[in-house]
Amino acid sequence: GAGVSQSPSNKVTEKGKDVELRCDPISGHTALYWYRQRLGQGLEFLIYFQGNSAPDKSGLPSDRFSAERTGESVSTLTIQRTQQEDSAVYLCASSSRTGKRHEQYFGPGTRLTVT
Amino acid sequence: GNSVTQMEGPVTLSEEAFLTINCTYTATGYPSLFWYVQYPGEGLQLLLKATKADDKGSNKGFEATYRKETTSFHLEKGSVQVSDSAVYFCALSDPRGSTLGRLYFGRGTQLTVWP
């Protein structure tokens, strides 16, 4: 079936504006993760969803960042009052609770540029 | 805590050369170890994994062995091809810990293979 999809693929925004990033996980995958990849750095964990609850939000860098998930489906990551240091590629991944539960399937990412 | 350190790049090789990318880890529990690959313009893909000590993961001619005594998971390939040019990420997850399967990534190693 279809893989993880993310939209938009690219987003350029002015400092201070709010942005919303979307992730559609693989159908049936109950676990969903958001990561951030800043230029020249590894991936930083942001938040984990199991179903529509978020048992681990420890990676969210500030209260400007929030995320929601509808059931076991779409998730949105919202960044309020964007800053230039928010510029990065935001990656979403999903995994199945059973079987290879720790194999995460990644989307293509959203490249966010804050000017 | 959990962390991953991998060899800094970039790595540049001629076709058919031998490849090693070093990866070491620190973990509080009994982690699973992964190598992910990101080809130009594409999303992260799982390359191989190992879930317990002495396991060897392999795929597409790449291999890595989970060495608990040296806390390492080095990636190797006997004869690289131009098509192997990509960024390689070492990662770990601690499925029995409190981190609920989130991945901890190294910074990535850029590999370029010349014909």
Side-chain angles (χ1 to χ4, degrees), chain A residues 65-80:
Chain A
F65 287 71
S66 63
E68 292 183 341
R69 187 177 184 197
T70 307
E72 294 183 353
S73 184
V74 171
S75 175
T76 55
L77 176 70
T78 301
I79 310 173
Q80 295 178 310

Side-chain angles (χ1 to χ4, degrees), chain A residues 45-67:
Chain A
F45 167 79
L46 296 177
I47 187 169
Y48 157 67
F49 286 93
Q50 182 61 44
N52 62 5
S53 66
D56 188 355
K57 306 178 184 179
S58 62
L60 294 178
S62 76
D63 59 7
R64 296 186 295 105
F65 287 71
S66 63

Side-chain angles (χ1 to χ4, degrees), chain B residues 95-108:
Chain B
R96 279 170 282 183
S98 62
T99 52
L100 301 171
R102 61 173 276 194
L103 289 167
Y104 296 81
F105 284 90
R107 289 194 167 202

